[in-house]
Amino acid sequence: MVGSAIVRHLLAGGLSAGNLLFRTHAELDLTDQVSVRGYFEKEKPDQVYLAAAKVGGIHANNSYPAEFIYQNLMIEANIIHEAWRVGVQKLLFLGSSCIYPKLASQPMGENALLTGPLEPTNEPYAIAKIAGIKLCESYNRQYGESHGTDYRSVMPTNLYGPGDNYHPENSHVIPAMIRRFHEAKEAGAPVVMLWGTGTPCREFLYVDDMAAASIHVMHLDKATFEAHTTPMQSHINVGSGQEVTIRELAGTIATVIGYEGSIAFDAAKPDGSPRKLMDSGRLNNLGWQPKVGLEEGLALAYQDFLFNCQSLHSSITQ
């Protein structure tokens, strides 16, 4: 989802498709060091946007902790190291807001990193993302002067939009709700049951805003970037600055989709962190602001879901 959005923005900014390198998971297993090494030795890119990751919602994180920590550690270690080996000087690593402690002061600034225990359900994924930040910082510290290494990290809040994963169990909260409410509307179901109490607050960012922020940070001149960061706290938060409760989010999605039934919550299911609002002041001071509001973004995401559903139905009937 994020990688596709970054590609859209790079092309819209004037970069030709011939100057972009892509590989699907089927073409290149990023957890395989030998394959990644061969790829970088062959292609020798000038810049790398590291958006690849194994991701999922609270159910997926809870169910597959070993896969989440192993695959994400291997992906980032292989790409960052092999990029350095072939002389890549510019790399952007995309992390996650879950790197911050479960009970971090709100809104969460970059200095909250490593100040307390993580939220248990996604701790393995969070630790992998923290390791990615520290990989970038370590290569900068050791090879910045000798090799010109300039590896940066951005920490997005919860993302949604075109290209999202709408799997009924392993998706994030917005795509999961979009599918749930759409199917309830189609079936005429009187009630939609959702996990948790509905009280946790979350911040959401439309994926094309994240892509624009990623390119903005990548293109900052080094002096400006270093003036707003420190060598061992160099990551930058990327958020919308707005938060809603899960209950409010559910109501908005139901309205966008046109579902008119009731919404109920199963309080026996986990809530996750009570609140996760990012402090994106550092990025705002560097000249970036989001453009797409939540309701507008949800409508665009629903159109993407409908398109994907129609494509899937068409391929099955044919």
Side-chain angles (χ1 to χ4, degrees):
M1 177 176 70
V2 185
S4 297
I6 291 173
V7 168
R8 287 197 298 272
H9 279 254
L10 288 172
L11 292 173
L15 197 63
S16 70
N19 288 329
L20 294 175
L21 301 169
F22 333 92
R23 291 294 186 276
T24 65
H25 178 69
E27 294 170 326
L28 178 62
D29 180 359
L30 297 177
T31 68
D32 182 341
Q33 185 181 34
V34 173
S35 297
V36 175
R37 176 165 295 181
Y39 171 74
F40 272 91
E41 288 179 344
K42 176 184 177 182
E43 301 292 356
K44 293 183 172 58
D46 296 314
Q47 297 183 2
V48 174
Y49 288 86
L50 177 40
K54 180 174 179 61
V55 299
I58 190 169
H59 173 77
N61 275 274
N62 236 353
S63 301
Y64 313 111
E67 293 179 27
F68 272 81
I69 192 167
Y70 170 76
Q71 292 189 27
N72 285 296
L73 283 171
M74 295 302 292
I75 288 169
E76 64 204 24
N78 288 339
I79 292 180
I80 292 170
H81 182 68
E82 298 308 326
W84 170 80
R85 282 188 72 251
V86 300
V88 174
Q89 294 182 323
K90 297 279 291 184
L91 178 146
L92 189 75
F93 170 70
L94 276 69
S96 167
S97 62
C98 71
I99 63 170
Y100 295 117
K102 177 178 181 178
L103 301 178
S105 297
Q106 305 288 318
M108 300 178 293
E110 287 86 354
N111 60 1
L113 184 64
L114 299 176
T115 60
L118 299 165
E119 205 287 313
T121 59
N122 59 19
E123 182 189 71
Y125 178 72
I127 287 176
K129 288 301 182 180
I130 293 170
I133 296 171
K134 295 306 174 183
L135 274 167
C136 290
E137 291 177 349
S138 297
Y139 278 72
N140 289 343
R141 290 169 60 198
Q142 187 166 345
Y143 301 115
E145 289 190 18
S146 60
H147 292 67
T149 304
D150 184 5
Y151 294 173
R152 303 175 182 184
S153 300
V154 285
M155 298 298 114
T157 188
N158 301 288
L159 301 174
Y160 70 98
D164 214 336
N165 167 29
Y166 298 99
H167 189 279
E169 293 182 349
N170 298 333
S171 57
H172 286 114
V173 61
I174 283 182
M177 283 191 188
I178 287 175
R179 178 168 182 158
R180 184 77 60 84
F181 282 112
H182 173 79
E183 291 178 346
K185 175 187 174 183
E186 294 293 295
V191 179
V192 169
M193 179 69 71
L194 302 175
W195 275 30
T197 63
T199 59
C201 292
R202 292 292 182 269
E203 176 187 26
F204 298 96
L205 183 70
Y206 189 63
V207 68
D208 284 73
D209 277 340
M210 180 63 209
S214 298
I215 295 169
H216 182 82
V217 171
M218 178 71 101
H219 289 170
L220 289 170
D221 67 84
K222 192 171 183 180
T224 300
F225 178 79
E226 291 180 346
H228 288 79
T229 60
T230 62
M232 296 185 69
Q233 194 184 98
S234 62
H235 61 287
I236 295 178
N237 289 343
V238 186
S240 65
Q242 304 294 320
E243 61 180 342
V244 295
T245 67
I246 296 300
R247 185 179 298 275
E248 291 168 338
L249 174 68
T252 303
I253 292 176
T255 298
V256 166
I257 290 174
Y259 174 73
E260 297 180 350
S262 300
I263 304 172
F265 290 86
D266 182 358
K269 299 296 186 181
D271 269 338
S273 298
R275 190 182 179 205
K276 287 175 65 178
L277 177 63
M278 305 268 273
D279 179 355
S280 299
R282 176 180 287 183
L283 181 56
N284 299 153
N285 291 335
L286 285 164
W288 178 87
Q289 295 284 343
K291 295 181 178 179
V292 181
L294 182 60
E295 191 162 349
E296 177 190 357
L298 290 173
L300 293 168
Y302 184 45
Q303 291 303 310
D304 175 67
F305 170 79
L306 291 175
F307 176 80
N308 286 329
C309 283
Q310 291 168 356
S311 298
L312 177 60
H313 178 71
S314 175
S315 65
I316 290 173
T317 54
Q318 291 175 8

Coordinates of all heavy atoms in Angstrom, one line a residue, residues 1-5 8 55-57 157-168 170-179 204-208 253 297-298 300-306 308-309:
M1 N 0.8 -1.2 0.0 CA 0.0 0.0 0.0 C 0.9 1.3 0.0 O 0.7 2.1 -0.8 CB -0.9 0.0 1.2 CG -1.8 1.3 1.4 SD -2.9 1.2 2.7 CE -1.8 1.3 4.1
V2 N 1.8 1.4 0.9 CA 2.6 2.6 1.0 C 3.6 2.6 -0.1 O 3.8 3.7 -0.7 CB 3.4 2.6 2.4 CG1 4.2 3.9 2.5 CG2 2.5 2.4 3.5
G3 N 4.2 1.5 -0.5 CA 5.1 1.5 -1.6 C 4.5 2.0 -2.9 O 5.1 2.7 -3.7
S4 N 3.3 1.5 -3.1 CA 2.5 1.9 -4.3 C 2.2 3.4 -4.3 O 2.3 4.1 -5.4 CB 1.2 1.1 -4.4 OG 1.5 -0.3 -4.6
A5 N 1.9 3.9 -3.2 CA 1.6 5.4 -3.1 C 2.9 6.2 -3.3 O 2.9 7.2 -4.0 CB 1.0 5.7 -1.7
R8 N 3.5 6.3 -7.0 CA 2.5 7.2 -7.6 C 3.1 8.7 -7.5 O 3.0 9.4 -8.5 CB 1.1 7.1 -7.0 CG 0.4 5.9 -7.4 CD -1.1 6.1 -7.1 NE -1.4 6.3 -5.7 CZ -1.6 5.4 -4.8 NH1 -1.5 4.1 -5.1 NH2 -1.9 5.7 -3.5
V55 N 2.9 -6.8 7.9 CA 2.0 -6.0 8.8 C 0.7 -6.6 9.0 O 0.3 -7.5 8.2 CB 1.8 -4.5 8.2 CG1 3.2 -3.8 8.0 CG2 1.2 -4.6 6.8
G56 N 0.0 -6.1 10.0 CA -1.4 -6.6 10.3 C -2.0 -5.9 11.5 O -1.3 -5.2 12.1
G57 N -3.2 -6.3 11.7 CA -3.9 -5.7 12.9 C -3.6 -6.4 14.2 O -2.8 -7.3 14.3
T157 N 1.8 7.1 11.6 CA 0.7 6.7 12.4 C -0.1 5.6 11.6 O 0.4 5.1 10.6 CB -0.2 7.9 12.8 OG1 -1.1 7.5 13.7 CG2 -0.9 8.5 11.5
N158 N -1.3 5.3 12.0 CA -2.1 4.3 11.4 C -2.4 4.7 10.0 O -3.0 5.8 9.8 CB -3.3 4.0 12.2 CG -3.0 3.5 13.6 OD1 -2.6 2.4 13.8 ND2 -3.3 4.4 14.5
L159 N -2.1 3.9 9.0 CA -2.3 4.3 7.6 C -3.5 3.5 7.0 O -3.8 2.4 7.4 CB -1.1 4.0 6.7 CG 0.2 4.8 7.2 CD1 1.4 4.3 6.4 CD2 0.1 6.3 7.1
Y160 N -4.1 4.1 5.9 CA -5.2 3.5 5.2 C -5.3 4.1 3.8 O -4.7 5.2 3.6 CB -6.5 3.6 6.0 CG -7.0 5.1 5.9 CD1 -8.0 5.5 5.0 CD2 -6.5 6.0 6.8 CE1 -8.4 6.8 5.0 CE2 -6.9 7.4 6.7 CZ -7.9 7.7 5.8 OH -8.3 9.0 5.7
G161 N -6.0 3.4 2.9 CA -6.2 4.0 1.6 C -6.0 2.9 0.5 O -6.0 1.7 0.8
P162 N -5.9 3.4 -0.8 CA -5.8 2.5 -1.9 C -4.7 1.4 -1.7 O -3.6 1.8 -1.3 CB -5.5 3.4 -3.1 CG -6.1 4.7 -2.7 CD -5.9 4.8 -1.2
G163 N -5.0 0.2 -2.1 CA -4.0 -0.9 -2.0 C -3.9 -1.5 -0.6 O -3.1 -2.4 -0.4
D164 N -4.9 -1.2 0.3 CA -4.9 -1.8 1.6 C -5.2 -3.3 1.6 O -5.7 -3.8 0.5 CB -5.8 -1.0 2.5 CG -5.4 -0.9 4.0 OD1 -4.6 -1.8 4.4 OD2 -5.8 0.0 4.7
N165 N -5.0 -3.9 2.7 CA -5.3 -5.4 2.8 C -6.6 -5.5 3.5 O -6.8 -5.0 4.7 CB -4.2 -6.0 3.7 CG -4.6 -7.4 4.1 OD1 -5.4 -8.1 3.5 ND2 -4.0 -7.8 5.3
Y166 N -7.6 -6.1 2.8 CA -9.0 -6.2 3.4 C -9.3 -7.6 3.9 O -10.4 -8.0 3.9 CB -10.0 -5.8 2.3 CG -9.8 -4.3 1.9 CD1 -9.1 -4.0 0.7 CD2 -10.3 -3.3 2.6 CE1 -9.0 -2.7 0.3 CE2 -10.1 -2.0 2.2 CZ -9.5 -1.7 1.1 OH -9.3 -0.4 0.7
H167 N -8.2 -8.3 4.3 CA -8.4 -9.7 4.8 C -9.3 -9.6 6.0 O -9.2 -8.8 6.9 CB -7.1 -10.3 5.2 CG -7.2 -11.8 5.5 ND1 -7.6 -12.2 6.8 CD2 -6.9 -12.9 4.8 CE1 -7.5 -13.5 6.8 NE2 -7.1 -14.0 5.6
P168 N -10.3 -10.6 6.2 CA -11.3 -10.5 7.3 C -10.6 -10.6 8.7 O -11.2 -10.2 9.7 CB -12.2 -11.6 7.0 CG -11.5 -12.5 6.1 CD -10.6 -11.7 5.2
N170 N -6.7 -10.6 9.2 CA -5.3 -10.1 9.4 C -5.1 -8.7 8.9 O -4.0 -8.2 8.8 CB -4.4 -11.0 8.6 CG -4.4 -12.5 9.1 OD1 -4.7 -12.7 10.3 ND2 -4.1 -13.4 8.3
S171 N -6.2 -7.9 8.7 CA -6.1 -6.5 8.3 C -6.1 -5.6 9.5 O -6.4 -6.0 10.6 CB -7.2 -6.2 7.3 OG -8.5 -6.4 7.9
H172 N -5.7 -4.3 9.2 CA -5.8 -3.3 10.2 C -7.2 -2.8 10.4 O -8.2 -3.2 9.7 CB -4.9 -2.1 9.7 CG -3.5 -2.3 9.9 ND1 -2.6 -2.4 8.8 CD2 -2.7 -2.5 11.0 CE1 -1.4 -2.6 9.2 NE2 -1.4 -2.7 10.5
V173 N -7.4 -1.9 11.3 CA -8.8 -1.6 11.8 C -9.6 -1.0 10.7 O -10.8 -1.4 10.5 CB -8.7 -0.7 13.0 CG1 -8.0 0.6 12.8 CG2 -10.1 -0.4 13.6
I174 N -9.1 0.0 9.9 CA -10.0 0.6 8.9 C -10.4 -0.3 7.8 O -11.6 -0.5 7.5 CB -9.3 1.9 8.4 CG1 -9.5 3.0 9.4 CG2 -10.0 2.3 7.0 CD1 -8.9 4.4 9.0
P175 N -9.5 -1.0 7.1 CA -9.9 -2.0 6.1 C -10.8 -3.1 6.6 O -11.7 -3.5 6.0 CB -8.6 -2.5 5.5 CG -7.6 -2.2 6.5 CD -8.0 -0.9 7.2
A176 N -10.5 -3.5 7.9 CA -11.3 -4.6 8.5 C -12.8 -4.1 8.6 O -13.7 -4.8 8.3 CB -10.8 -5.0 9.8
M177 N -12.9 -2.8 9.1 CA -14.2 -2.2 9.3 C -14.9 -2.0 8.0 O -16.1 -2.2 7.8 CB -14.2 -0.9 10.1 CG -14.0 -1.1 11.6 SD -14.2 0.5 12.4 CE -13.7 0.1 14.1
I178 N -14.2 -1.5 7.0 CA -14.8 -1.3 5.7 C -15.4 -2.6 5.1 O -16.5 -2.6 4.7 CB -13.8 -0.7 4.7 CG1 -13.4 0.7 5.0 CG2 -14.2 -0.8 3.2 CD1 -12.4 1.4 4.2
R179 N -14.7 -3.6 5.2 CA -15.2 -4.9 4.7 C -16.4 -5.4 5.6 O -17.4 -5.8 5.0 CB -14.1 -6.0 4.8 CG -14.6 -7.4 4.3 CD -13.4 -8.3 4.1 NE -14.0 -9.6 3.6 CZ -13.3 -10.5 2.9 NH1 -12.0 -10.2 2.6 NH2 -13.8 -11.6 2.6
F204 N -5.3 8.5 12.3 CA -5.2 7.9 11.0 C -4.7 8.9 10.0 O -5.0 10.1 10.0 CB -6.5 7.3 10.6 CG -7.0 6.3 11.5 CD1 -7.9 6.6 12.6 CD2 -6.6 5.0 11.4 CE1 -8.4 5.6 13.4 CE2 -7.1 4.0 12.3 CZ -8.0 4.3 13.3
L205 N -3.9 8.4 9.0 CA -3.3 9.2 7.9 C -3.6 8.5 6.6 O -3.3 7.3 6.5 CB -1.9 9.4 8.2 CG -1.1 10.3 7.2 CD1 -1.6 11.8 7.4 CD2 0.4 10.2 7.3
Y206 N -4.1 9.2 5.7 CA -4.3 8.7 4.3 C -3.0 8.4 3.7 O -2.0 9.2 3.8 CB -5.1 9.7 3.5 CG -5.6 9.2 2.1 CD1 -6.5 8.2 2.1 CD2 -5.1 9.8 1.0 CE1 -6.9 7.7 0.8 CE2 -5.6 9.3 -0.3 CZ -6.5 8.3 -0.3 OH -6.9 7.8 -1.5
V207 N -2.9 7.3 3.0 CA -1.6 6.7 2.5 C -0.9 7.7 1.6 O 0.4 7.8 1.5 CB -1.7 5.3 1.9 CG1 -2.5 5.4 0.6 CG2 -0.4 4.7 1.7
D208 N -1.6 8.4 0.7 CA -0.9 9.3 -0.2 C -0.3 10.5 0.5 O 0.7 11.1 0.1 CB -1.9 9.8 -1.2 CG -2.2 8.8 -2.3 OD1 -2.9 7.8 -2.0 OD2 -1.7 8.9 -3.4
I253 N -17.3 5.3 9.3 CA -17.3 4.3 8.3 C -18.6 3.8 7.9 O -19.0 3.6 6.7 CB -16.3 3.1 8.7 CG1 -14.9 3.6 8.8 CG2 -16.4 2.0 7.7 CD1 -13.9 2.6 9.2
G297 N -10.8 10.7 3.1 CA -10.0 9.5 2.9 C -10.7 8.2 3.0 O -10.5 7.3 2.2
L298 N -11.7 8.1 3.9 CA -12.5 6.9 4.0 C -13.3 6.6 2.8 O -13.5 5.5 2.4 CB -13.3 7.0 5.3 CG -12.6 6.9 6.6 CD1 -13.6 7.2 7.8 CD2 -11.9 5.6 6.8
L300 N -12.6 7.6 -0.3 CA -11.6 7.1 -1.3 C -11.2 5.6 -1.0 O -11.1 4.8 -2.0 CB -10.4 8.0 -1.3 CG -10.6 9.4 -1.8 CD1 -9.4 10.3 -1.5 CD2 -10.9 9.5 -3.3
A301 N -11.0 5.3 0.2 CA -10.7 3.9 0.6 C -11.8 3.0 0.2 O -11.6 1.8 -0.2 CB -10.3 3.8 2.1
Y302 N -13.0 3.4 0.5 CA -14.2 2.5 0.2 C -14.3 2.3 -1.3 O -14.6 1.2 -1.8 CB -15.5 3.1 0.8 CG -16.7 2.2 0.6 CD1 -16.6 0.9 0.8 CD2 -17.9 2.8 0.1 CE1 -17.7 0.1 0.7 CE2 -19.0 2.0 -0.1 CZ -18.9 0.6 0.2 OH -20.0 -0.2 0.0
Q303 N -14.0 3.3 -2.1 CA -14.1 3.2 -3.6 C -13.0 2.2 -4.0 O -13.2 1.4 -4.9 CB -13.9 4.5 -4.2 CG -15.0 5.5 -4.1 CD -16.3 4.9 -4.6 OE1 -16.4 4.4 -5.7 NE2 -17.4 5.0 -3.7
D304 N -11.8 2.2 -3.4 CA -10.8 1.3 -3.7 C -11.2 -0.2 -3.3 O -11.0 -1.1 -4.1 CB -9.5 1.6 -2.9 CG -8.4 0.6 -3.1 OD1 -7.9 0.5 -4.2 OD2 -8.1 -0.1 -2.1
F305 N -11.9 -0.3 -2.2 CA -12.4 -1.6 -1.7 C -13.4 -2.1 -2.8 O -13.4 -3.3 -3.2 CB -13.0 -1.5 -0.4 CG -13.8 -2.8 0.1 CD1 -13.1 -3.9 0.5 CD2 -15.2 -2.8 -0.1 CE1 -13.8 -5.0 0.9 CE2 -15.9 -3.9 0.3 CZ -15.2 -5.0 0.8
L306 N -14.3 -1.3 -3.2 CA -15.3 -1.7 -4.1 C -14.7 -2.1 -5.5 O -15.1 -3.1 -6.1 CB -16.4 -0.6 -4.4 CG -17.3 -0.2 -3.2 CD1 -18.1 1.0 -3.6 CD2 -18.2 -1.4 -2.8
N308 N -11.7 -3.4 -5.9 CA -11.0 -4.6 -5.6 C -12.0 -5.8 -5.6 O -11.8 -6.9 -6.0 CB -10.2 -4.6 -4.3 CG -8.9 -3.8 -4.5 OD1 -8.3 -3.7 -5.6 ND2 -8.5 -3.1 -3.5
C309 N -13.1 -5.5 -4.9 CA -14.2 -6.6 -4.8 C -14.7 -6.9 -6.2 O -14.9 -8.1 -6.5 CB -15.3 -6.1 -3.9 SG -15.0 -6.1 -2.2

